[in-house]
Amino acid sequence: MFNEETFAGAEYDIADLIELVGVEPGPVLDLGAGPGRHALPLARAGYPVTAVDTSRLLLDQLEQARGELPIETVQADMREFRREKTYQLALVMWTSFGYFRAEEEHLQVLANIRDSLQADGRLVLDLVGVEYLCRNLEPVHLTEYDDDRLLIERPLLTDNLTRLENEWLLIEGDRVHRTEFSHRVWSAGEISALLARAGFEVLGIFGDFRGGLYDLEAERLVVLAGIGAP
Ligand SMILES: C[S@@+](CC[C@H](N)C(=O)[O-])C[C@H]1O[C@@H](n2cnc3c(N)ncnc32)[C@H](O)[C@@H]1O
């Protein structure tokens, strides 16, 4: 998942995202930051970043890459991380929102973000919409890598089209590595309702980071939200 190509893609997206959100350099919270695909270009653009992730391994990679850049790493669960009125912008990128079983846990994450944002702060959720999945999901998807490894993905929409269950089989020579994960998926309307429950005002829904329409061609569901009236 984290290679030269996906790092370059994120750098490109961040330039568009900064323009779309229109915030001046100020503190940014990157939840589920991974190895810093977004934290690194943001910090290079002058935004101090707090990168939160549960994975020590990925945070170690980010710490090695950050050099003197203003990136703080925090190993924490997004259901628990909260810093009162600190950030100008919060990001949850590449479908890093949706990992939990209970909707209340997602609501808790949004409440933490809301409390961590300054009064004029903004939140960007980068998701894949259930609308896209319904049109494009293939029951089996095969990826062949240059080094001959094969990845077989077997995704399934379950629970009345609200969860994506995934099985990945990575074939490396004679060895097969198997992993499963499950993800909550929302439509644009459902995620707007959840954000409203958490006290956010949806400022825009886009199909990409350049502000493209969220329509039947959109591959991403990019939600821009601000703190609504208390
Ligand atoms: C799909 S990766 C995306 C990483 C990064 N946002 C990016 O765009 O490259 C999801 C990340 O979320 C992290 N993560 C998963 N559950 C988490 C949790 N409960 N709290 C914080 N981070 C979590 C994972 O460790 C992983 O780094």
Side-chain angles (χ1 to χ4, degrees):
M1 285 179 74
F2 304 114
N3 54 35
E4 243 174 68
E5 199 183 321
T6 56
F7 265 84
E11 180 137 23
Y12 197 74
D13 289 341
I14 277 296
D16 289 331
L17 190 114
I18 288 173
E19 211 174 305
L20 184 71
V21 178
V23 291
E24 294 299 313
V28 177
L29 173 62
D30 186 2
L31 286 173
R37 290 191 321 128
H38 303 94
L40 289 162
L42 274 166
R44 281 196 285 271
Y47 296 78
V49 182
T50 301
V52 174
D53 205 286
T54 44
S55 165
R56 187 66 261 163
L57 184 79
L58 296 176
L59 291 176
D60 284 347
Q61 283 180 33
L62 173 53
E63 283 165 15
Q64 275 168 26
R66 73 181 160 188
E68 297 301 309
L69 289 170
I71 300 176
E72 175 198 12
T73 54
V74 179
Q75 186 177 15
D77 191 307
M78 63 176 85
R79 285 167 290 188
E80 279 147 29
F81 182 87
R82 167 193 300 234
R83 259 183 210 168
E84 234 15 67
K85 296 186 176 36
T86 306
Y87 299 100
Q88 192 177 350
L89 176 64
L91 303 175
V92 197
M93 303 296 283
W94 211 9
T95 332
S96 301
F97 186 67
Y99 283 124
F100 311 117
R101 266 283 152 197
E103 197 73 327
E104 292 308 312
E105 295 175 278
H106 296 118
L107 208 53
Q108 181 61 55
V109 174
L110 293 179
N112 291 344
I113 296 173
R114 188 182 187 285
D115 289 351
S116 300
L117 283 174
Q118 298 167 2
D120 58 350
R122 297 282 181 266
L123 164 65
V124 173
L125 296 177
D126 163 33
L127 308 169
V128 57
V130 76
E131 298 90 337
Y132 173 82
L133 293 170
C134 286
R135 279 170 63 89
N136 296 289
L137 204 67
E138 300 168 27
V140 179
H141 184 78
L142 180 71
T143 311
E144 202 170 344
Y145 295 101
D146 290 345
D147 58 7
D148 289 340
R149 286 178 311 160
L150 289 177
L151 176 66
I152 299 170
E153 292 172 61
R154 299 195 331 141
L156 193 63
L157 275 170
T158 64
D159 295 36
N160 304 319
L161 309 180
T162 62
R163 293 201 77 83
L164 182 65
E165 308 288 340
N166 257 300
E167 181 189 26
W168 284 12
L169 298 162
L170 183 70
I171 303 174
E172 217 171 4
D174 294 338
R175 290 168 51 196
V176 179
H177 310 268
R178 181 174 177 278
T179 185
E180 278 183 330
F181 56 93
S182 167
H183 214 278
R184 170 74 160 104
V185 284
W186 293 271
S187 67
E190 286 170 332
I191 195 68
S192 299
L194 191 69
L195 282 159
R197 271 181 74 195
F200 280 96
E201 183 185 350
V202 174
L203 303 173
I205 297 207
F206 309 103
D208 57 42
F209 298 108
R210 289 174 301 287
L213 276 183
Y214 187 70
D215 59 12
L216 288 174
E217 307 306 318
E219 292 183 10
R220 303 301 301 173
L221 167 55
V222 178
V223 187
L224 172 63
I227 297 176

